[in-house]
Amino acid sequence: DQVVSTTINLATVPLQVEAVTPANNAVNVNVTSPVTVTFNKPITGATITGSNFKLTTTAGNPVITNLTALAGGRSVVLTPASVLQGST
């Protein structure tokens, strides 16, 4: 059998969100739960800022969060600085 090798340049792959936890419209989520966003490829620490990652209420008001990049650079955790209101 012949082996075929393919090289993929990650720089040319568009950045996409693969998962968000908790999921949109999830029910029975603890109001102190962090939100984790996972991407299809690593992102740089310089892009993990409050300008690029925002958590808002259903009314569009910003929620103050602490941002943490997880090992591997594919996930960012937004931890609310205070208890969230329901339906945030």
Side-chain angles (χ1 to χ4, degrees):
D1 290 328
Q2 184 180 10
V3 176
V4 177
S5 176
T6 303
T7 302
I8 298 173
N9 181 352
L10 282 180
T12 62
V13 175
L15 184 64
Q16 296 178 342
V17 173
E18 286 190 338
V20 176
T21 305
N24 193 27
N25 295 318
V27 294
N28 298 321
V29 176
N30 190 315
V31 292
T32 60
S33 294
V35 176
T36 303
V37 182
T38 303
F39 297 94
N40 62 326
K41 64 181 187 176
I43 56 175
T44 62
T47 60
I48 303 171
T49 67
S51 297
N52 294 331
F53 290 90
K54 296 178 183 176
L55 183 62
T56 60
T57 65
T58 53
N61 298 318
V63 175
I64 297 172
T65 59
N66 296 310
L67 300 173
T68 307
L70 298 183
R74 290 187 54 220
S75 296
V76 175
V77 178
L78 293 87
T79 304
S82 60
V83 174
L84 296 174
Q85 297 177 354
S87 300
T88 298

